[in-house]
Amino acid sequence: MNLALVIRRLSRWGALLLPLLIAVPTAAEEGTIKVGILHSLSGTMAISESVLKDTVLMLIRDQNAKVGLLGRKLEPIIADPASDWALFAAKARDLITRENVAVVFGCWTSALRKSVLPVFEELNGLLYYPVQYEGEESSRNVFYTGATPNQQAIPAVRFLMSKEGSEIRRWVLLGTDYVYPRTTNRILQAYLSTEGTSPEDILTIYTPFGFSDWRETVRKIRTFASAGKRTAVISTVNGDANTHFYKELEAQKVDAAQIPVMAFSVSERELTGVDPKPLAGHLAAWSYFQAVESPENAKFVDMWRDFTGNRNEITNDPMEATFIGFRMWAQAVGQAGTTEVNAVRQAMYGQRIKAPSGYYEVMNTNHHLSKPAMIGKIDPSGRFDLIWQSINPIRADTWSKYLPDSAKRTADWTFPWVCGDCIEPTFKDW
């Protein structure tokens, strides 16, 4: 049989079989698309994380009410790691291998994220991480939708150093004792040094997770602030320890006019159970506050309140970051025509939405968003008033230019770099 005849017969059979192959879906395609939710619903981090579980459930309900994705409904698979680092890794493995989820939305602290990172990289899973963090990381299996230090910590300190921010010249770097506060404070110390701040004008304090006895710590802060220079606290305290910290500030009558606190992990939720009146004037830095006035935010807040059935419910920055990540993932799945991780990853680059913040936010090839910086001030009712925001979104610096070893590193998952931590391109000889 000659070659031409073989090709003609193969072409004929291919033409006959192709419609059948297209028309018969696989078992996986006939079922739901499983969406993993990996947030602490108990333990010290539940005060912050539990609302993010509900945010994903809201978004799944909204997507299913439209058309689902790829003609299939989304099914939430919820795991509660109970604020336990080891349990996070085990639950992540179960979600990917036993539940066969297409994607996971989860984690809060960097310690928890780092505990699951090897699992996602080993199994080629896909994690959307919605919280501000220290940077110094870019994994091909994670999309980071929270702020890096150049989008939150550095703008916050610059604001406090300005006339509008009371010309602060002395600093208390206060944090929970784990990787995010320690690395962020290392970056801030290096930045403050470039601004001429003496080491004697920086006091660094770390406390355990769930810390509740703040009396001596607040006394140290008051003593340090009595040296004659305007002093502020930069707080990277996480979880329910914030409630106890603010109660002690109130007990020792430390108000914002004396020693302003600029928090990086405090929203209205963390102030629950605290009398807000004595805390009026203290600050927080995020990329979103509910006080933002934009059509997109009005829709986001209404969606949340409709979902909860409570017209007084509050939205916050990690909720907005979850919203952005979910919407971008859905757009990428639609663009790729599949939930397969490698295809979705490629489709994520350049995804763009008009966020509730009122800004267009874009996913860059370093797996981080361009995001705005904002400063909010606690009002007497315990809500945050928006008092400052950047003119434009700020592109995330995955590796800080203020740390010598990091300044020479690059994160870019497209050709020729194709890496999250390298000094020269992976394909430099092409």
Side-chain angles (χ1 to χ4, degrees):
M1 188 180 292
N2 64 41
L3 181 59
L5 182 58
V6 170
I7 291 172
R8 281 200 301 272
R9 288 186 176 179
L10 287 173
S11 299
R12 188 192 316 159
W13 282 107
L16 289 170
L17 290 171
L18 185 58
L20 295 174
L21 291 172
I22 294 172
V24 180
T26 66
E29 288 171 337
E30 289 178 330
T32 59
I33 296 173
K34 292 184 177 181
V35 176
I37 303 173
L38 187 65
H39 281 300
S40 296
L41 311 181
S42 54
T44 187
M45 293 309 302
I47 188 173
S48 299
E49 287 194 71
S50 58
V51 71
L52 301 187
K53 177 264 294 181
D54 293 329
T55 304
V56 180
L57 292 178
M58 173 188 73
L59 292 164
I60 289 174
R61 186 180 79 169
D62 180 68
Q63 191 70 36
N64 283 340
K66 297 173 183 175
V67 293
L69 271 179
L70 307 180
R72 298 155 63 191
K73 295 296 186 182
L74 304 183
E75 177 187 356
I77 306 295
I78 301 170
D80 174 19
S83 307
D84 185 302
W85 299 4
L87 198 53
F88 260 85
K91 295 284 188 181
R93 186 173 293 276
D94 284 349
L95 286 173
I96 298 170
T97 60
R98 291 173 132 188
E99 299 291 350
N100 295 312
V101 299
V103 64
V104 175
F105 295 88
C107 300
W108 183 287
T109 71
S110 289
L112 300 177
R113 186 193 69 256
K114 286 185 178 294
S115 75
V116 305
L117 191 57
V119 176
F120 281 90
E121 292 182 339
E122 173 197 343
L123 301 173
N124 196 31
L126 192 58
L127 172 67
Y128 284 76
Y129 176 63
V131 185
Q132 85 292 341
Y133 84 117
E134 69 280 358
E136 310 299 293
E137 176 184 298
S138 177
S139 168
R140 70 191 294 267
N141 294 93
V142 181
F143 284 100
Y144 307 77
T145 58
T148 54
N150 75 299
Q151 296 170 312
Q152 183 192 35
I154 301 296
V157 168
R158 282 180 180 152
F159 173 82
L160 287 171
M161 295 177 81
S162 71
K163 186 174 182 180
E164 186 181 3
S166 300
E167 299 179 311
I168 300 299
R169 295 295 180 266
R170 199 161 163 84
W171 309 88
V172 179
L173 306 182
L174 174 67
T176 303
D177 193 4
Y178 73 105
V179 62
Y180 162 59
R182 284 189 173 274
T183 306
T184 299
N185 287 342
R186 190 157 57 94
I187 292 168
L188 286 178
Q189 287 168 331
Y191 169 71
L192 288 168
S193 177
T194 67
E195 293 293 322
T197 302
S198 166
E200 288 74 31
D201 287 327
I202 302 174
L203 172 65
T204 305
I205 303 172
Y206 295 105
T207 59
F209 277 102
F211 192 61
S212 59
D213 187 359
W214 287 90
R215 287 172 295 181
E216 186 56 36
T217 303
V218 173
R219 286 193 197 104
K220 281 184 183 178
I221 292 170
R222 292 174 61 196
T223 300
F224 183 76
S226 66
K229 294 180 181 178
R230 286 286 291 156
T231 302
V233 175
I234 301 296
S235 173
T236 47
V237 175
N238 268 264
D240 55 10
N242 277 296
T243 302
H244 301 291
F245 172 54
Y246 283 99
K247 282 183 176 179
E248 189 60 34
L249 290 178
E250 177 187 342
Q252 297 195 32
K253 302 188 185 309
V254 177
D255 63 30
Q258 298 172 296
I259 310 170
V261 174
M262 175 73 78
F264 295 166
S265 295
V266 169
S267 68
E268 286 87 347
R269 290 184 64 81
E270 285 74 24
L271 298 178
T272 303
V274 181
D275 180 3
K277 290 186 179 64
L279 303 181
H282 287 300
L283 306 164
W286 293 101
S287 295
Y288 165 87
F289 289 93
Q290 184 177 284
V292 167
E293 294 182 2
S294 74
E296 295 76 20
N297 191 40
K299 291 178 184 176
F300 177 52
V301 173
D302 281 343
M303 180 191 294
W304 176 239
R305 289 175 172 174
D306 289 344
F307 178 78
T308 62
N310 183 349
R311 302 310 296 175
N312 293 316
E313 275 287 344
I314 299 294
T315 55
N316 64 26
D317 180 286
M319 292 172 66
E320 193 228 18
T322 299
F323 174 92
I324 293 168
F326 186 94
R327 286 283 195 251
M328 286 188 172
W329 170 76
Q331 289 175 184
V333 169
Q335 179 179 320
T338 177
T339 59
E340 197 274 324
V341 168
N342 293 329
V344 172
R345 180 190 298 115
Q346 289 302 121
M348 274 294 297
Y349 304 139
Q351 289 296 338
R352 178 175 181 263
I353 70 167
K354 187 75 173 291
S357 65
Y359 294 74
Y360 279 103
E361 300 196 18
V362 179
M363 181 56 70
N364 300 301
T365 57
N366 62 6
H367 284 214
H368 291 71
L369 290 171
S370 295
K371 297 174 70 73
M374 299 183 181
I375 307 294
K377 180 186 288 188
I378 301 174
D379 71 15
S381 72
R383 304 289 179 91
F384 281 94
D385 294 326
L386 181 59
I387 62 170
W388 178 88
Q389 61 193 86
S390 60
I391 297 172
N392 297 306
I394 302 166
R395 183 183 170 93
D397 287 342
T398 308
W399 298 95
S400 176
K401 66 182 180 182
Y402 298 106
L403 301 180
D405 188 56
S406 296
K408 57 191 178 186
R409 300 184 181 278
T410 292
D412 187 340
W413 288 101
T414 58
F415 189 89
W417 290 93
V418 195
C419 64
D421 174 11
C422 53
I423 297 172
E424 57 187 24
T426 302
F427 297 96
K428 62 181 178 178
D429 296 328
W430 283 52

